[in-house]
Amino acid sequence: MAFRNLLHILLAGICVSFLLFLSQITGRRLIQLGKFSFQSKLERFIISQAFGLAALAYSIFILGLIGGIQHIIFITLYIIVLPLVFLSDIKTICSKIKYESLHFKLFSWIKNIPLLSKVALILLVTFVAINFINTLTPPIGRDAMTYHLKMPQYYIQTRYVQPEPPTIHSYFPALVEMLYTFGLILSNDYSSHLIHFYFGILAALTIFMFARRISNIGAALFCALTFYSMPLVSQLSSWAYVDLALCFFTLLAIGFFSFALEDINPKLIKLSAILFGIALGIKYLTLISLYIIIIIFLIRWIKTPSLKRPFLLRQSMYFFTICAVVALPYYVRNILITGNPVYPFFYSIFGGPHWDTQRAILYNIFLRVYGMGYSIIDYLLLPWRMVVYAGLDGPFDGEIGALYLTLTPLLIWFRPKHKSAKYMLMYSILSFFAWANTSQQVRFLLPALGALSICLYTLFECPLKGKIINRCSIRLIAIGLILYNLSFVILQFQKYQP
């Protein structure tokens, strides 16, 4: 039995590795077509993965519309035809890997970073290792069993990507479920865990990437570790959910959007719009982020000199147009089937079949069951309660740890100086208020926490003057709280017994 499980794990690992390789060569070609330029190899890699994974997901969705969810079609298209089409790209990538492997100075880089940065790197690797082992458990997440994995199985059985009328979740945007379909049809359900686990790593890399743009390597490492050490991230990394994927794409979109607003960069605005469109294809929740973007656009417009306002207005129109076009497939499908682009939500406005007013009210009540109330006192106590009353069985359906509660108030004294970080902080604050007034499940807050993690760079920057304990005090406090988070992850490890 153990040998059989090992074979299943190996097959899933090979399948996911092949998927990521396909996404890299596909994303690389899309970057060339879009003529995007980046500041580092890490940025190019992350955007290649983002574009490639999204493009493959959309291709599977299109195949599903014509009944193409079949083994023979997937093998022919993705294992034979696509690699042949991108043969020149594969040769280029392989030659670069061979060249860079000879010149890669990882150990010298690690040797040259400060001691506490080495500790942060070791802790980050530790969390990644434990989270990876936890992915080797059977599916146990409620939503994974209800629809994240159930619907891909349904697509494979019917050969079509189509809703299952009794299941309202089958009408939700399904970009990540398309990737799960790829893994299930060519391997098994371990692949879905590995895919979601990988999105968690990409989210941490994205935080490191943006923090590194405006700070030093040590501070960027601590920013990434602050996010990735969350017990919630470890919990979700072993489940076939979509929240880490949504966090990854939203973080990329918010980050590039914030940098674009510094000097109204059209290329970065276009890139951010594409990424927001992809995020809209993952979950309706992105609509809240888009609403916040409108507010930030208005604030930027007010602060812009009168002569430059028409240019900013044009860029905002381009942004929302591109965003809508990228997200269109899932929302058009819902309009054609139900007449409601965000079915089953906003039933009182758009209506829709297989649903009624009473069930819409009950579903809304169900979503607002999470949390501990919506009064002014509840809002004031919310940050404290999120830590004290946390846990999988708690009112917030997850654990974020005490790190954010401890460090975030310090931003009053260590305010971010970079404009881009200020926009990210603004997004985090507005997202928190929006989340507090909707369904208070902490996993819905992940993109805001990711953006907040980038803003914490200003706390982790060790000043050049002063005794080493004084200079590194915040990093030392953070390491202590991260070790506390690690205890939750170890308990989770013991609970799953992978």
Side-chain angles (χ1 to χ4, degrees):
M1 188 68 179
F3 181 73
R4 183 180 178 184
N5 284 340
L6 179 61
L7 288 178
H8 285 170
I9 292 167
L10 288 173
L11 178 60
I14 293 169
C15 177
V16 173
S17 298
F18 182 72
L19 171 66
L20 301 183
F21 183 72
L22 279 183
S23 68
Q24 184 64 21
I25 57 177
T26 306
R28 184 175 178 274
R29 182 66 66 89
L30 292 172
I31 285 173
Q32 291 173 349
L33 291 174
K35 297 179 180 179
F36 294 109
S37 58
F38 303 99
Q39 292 189 3
S40 67
K41 292 178 182 178
L42 179 61
E43 285 190 18
R44 181 173 292 275
F45 168 78
I46 290 174
I47 296 300
S48 294
Q49 287 289 290
F51 279 12
L53 287 166
L56 291 173
Y58 277 118
S59 70
I60 295 168
F61 178 74
I62 293 169
L63 276 177
L65 295 179
I66 58 175
I69 308 297
Q70 302 178 51
H71 288 87
I72 186 64
I73 293 177
F74 270 60
I75 291 170
T76 303
L77 180 60
Y78 295 110
I79 297 180
I80 299 174
V81 175
L82 203 58
L84 288 175
V85 171
F86 292 121
L87 189 59
S88 60
D89 297 82
I90 293 173
K91 289 179 179 178
T92 303
I93 291 172
C94 289
S95 63
K96 282 186 176 181
I97 292 173
K98 184 178 179 181
Y99 173 79
E100 290 177 2
S101 63
L102 296 174
H103 296 77
F104 193 51
K105 300 179 180 178
L106 176 63
F107 293 105
S108 62
W109 177 78
I110 293 174
K111 184 179 178 181
N112 292 329
I113 62 176
L115 176 61
L116 289 181
S117 298
K118 290 187 178 76
V119 173
L121 186 60
I122 291 169
L123 285 171
L124 196 56
V125 172
T126 302
F127 277 98
V128 170
I130 295 175
N131 291 346
F132 172 75
I133 296 172
N134 280 340
T135 63
L136 308 181
T137 55
I140 56 173
R142 180 189 63 236
D143 290 356
M145 303 299 291
T146 305
Y147 63 100
H148 292 311
L149 289 180
K150 179 185 175 183
M151 292 316 302
Q153 288 284 12
Y154 180 69
Y155 302 150
I156 294 169
Q157 291 170 5
T158 62
R159 300 182 180 182
Y160 285 90
V161 172
Q162 57 186 353
E164 187 182 21
T167 308
I168 60 166
H169 305 97
S170 65
Y171 295 88
F172 289 2
L175 187 140
V176 177
E177 282 82 358
M178 297 299 101
L179 299 177
Y180 291 167
T181 302
F182 182 98
L184 287 173
I185 201 168
L186 295 179
S187 60
N188 51 67
D189 52 21
Y190 284 115
S191 61
S192 56
H193 293 187
L194 291 171
I195 290 169
H196 200 230
F197 159 78
Y198 181 65
F199 275 120
I201 294 176
L202 286 178
L205 284 174
T206 300
I207 292 168
F208 174 84
M209 176 186 79
F210 285 130
R212 184 67 186 92
R213 265 194 172 206
I214 53 182
S215 187
N216 57 59
I217 290 175
L221 275 172
F222 271 91
C223 290
L225 182 58
T226 297
F227 173 83
Y228 199 75
S229 67
M230 260 194 294
L232 176 65
V233 171
S234 296
Q235 173 188 307
L236 291 172
S237 292
S238 59
W239 290 0
Y241 275 35
V242 301
D243 301 277
L244 291 175
L246 179 67
C247 179
F248 166 60
F249 282 105
T250 307
L251 271 179
L252 273 179
I254 288 294
F256 283 115
F257 175 79
S258 299
F259 281 102
L261 285 191
E262 283 190 15
D263 54 0
I264 314 178
N265 187 318
K267 276 285 184 181
L268 290 184
I269 287 176
K270 177 183 176 183
L271 178 60
S272 176
I274 294 170
L275 292 165
F276 259 117
I278 295 170
L280 281 169
I282 296 174
K283 208 165 190 173
Y284 291 141
L285 197 64
T286 312
L287 290 168
I288 296 176
S289 292
L290 207 59
Y291 179 73
I292 293 169
I293 287 300
I294 294 172
I295 296 173
I296 296 175
F297 253 127
L298 288 173
I299 293 171
R300 181 67 172 88
W301 187 81
I302 291 169
K303 291 185 175 182
T304 302
S306 300
L307 292 175
K308 293 184 178 180
R309 285 181 178 177
F311 178 68
L312 179 60
L313 186 61
R314 285 198 302 273
Q315 293 304 316
S316 66
M317 296 302 294
Y318 294 149
F319 176 91
F320 291 110
T321 301
I322 293 170
C323 187
V325 169
V326 174
L328 213 55
Y330 297 105
Y331 295 84
V332 168
R333 180 195 69 166
N334 277 359
I335 290 173
L336 295 175
I337 296 174
T338 69
N340 182 350
V342 289
Y343 181 87
F345 298 98
F346 296 106
Y347 179 82
S348 60
I349 299 173
F350 299 108
H354 317 296
W355 204 239
D356 54 53
T357 303
Q358 184 178 1
R359 278 189 283 186
I361 293 171
L362 289 173
Y363 190 58
N364 185 56
I365 292 172
F366 164 73
L367 291 175
R368 292 177 70 87
V369 162
Y370 296 96
M372 299 183 69
Y374 295 89
S375 68
I376 294 175
I377 298 297
D378 292 323
Y379 290 142
L380 292 174
L381 295 175
L382 187 54
W384 172 257
R385 287 174 171 176
M386 287 169 63
V387 177
V388 175
Y389 298 99
L392 184 58
D393 299 323
F396 300 100
D397 196 28
E399 175 92 38
I400 66 169
L403 193 53
Y404 287 103
L405 180 63
T406 304
L407 297 183
T408 303
L410 298 178
L411 289 175
I412 297 172
W413 292 277
F414 298 89
R415 289 188 293 272
K417 296 178 182 179
H418 292 267
K419 288 184 179 179
S420 56
K422 291 178 181 178
Y423 288 124
M424 291 184 219
L425 185 58
M426 192 185 304
Y427 167 79
S428 297
I429 294 169
L430 292 174
S431 293
F432 179 81
F433 285 120
W435 171 81
N437 283 283
T438 52
S439 182
Q440 294 179 4
Q441 298 179 70
V442 287
R443 59 193 174 95
F444 293 170
L445 195 58
L446 274 175
L449 292 173
L452 178 60
S453 300
I454 299 169
C455 300
L456 293 176
Y457 79 91
T458 185
L459 304 182
F460 296 128
E461 286 180 332
C462 290
L464 296 176
K465 296 181 180 180
K467 294 181 179 179
I468 188 166
I469 296 297
N470 295 333
R471 289 192 286 114
C472 302
S473 57
I474 294 178
R475 290 190 182 188
L476 290 169
I477 292 169
I479 287 173
L481 292 169
I482 288 164
L483 289 172
Y484 184 62
N485 284 347
L486 185 60
S487 67
F488 285 100
V489 178
I490 292 172
L491 288 174
Q492 180 180 307
F493 181 86
Q494 292 173 343
K495 177 183 177 181
Y496 290 164
Q497 296 184 3

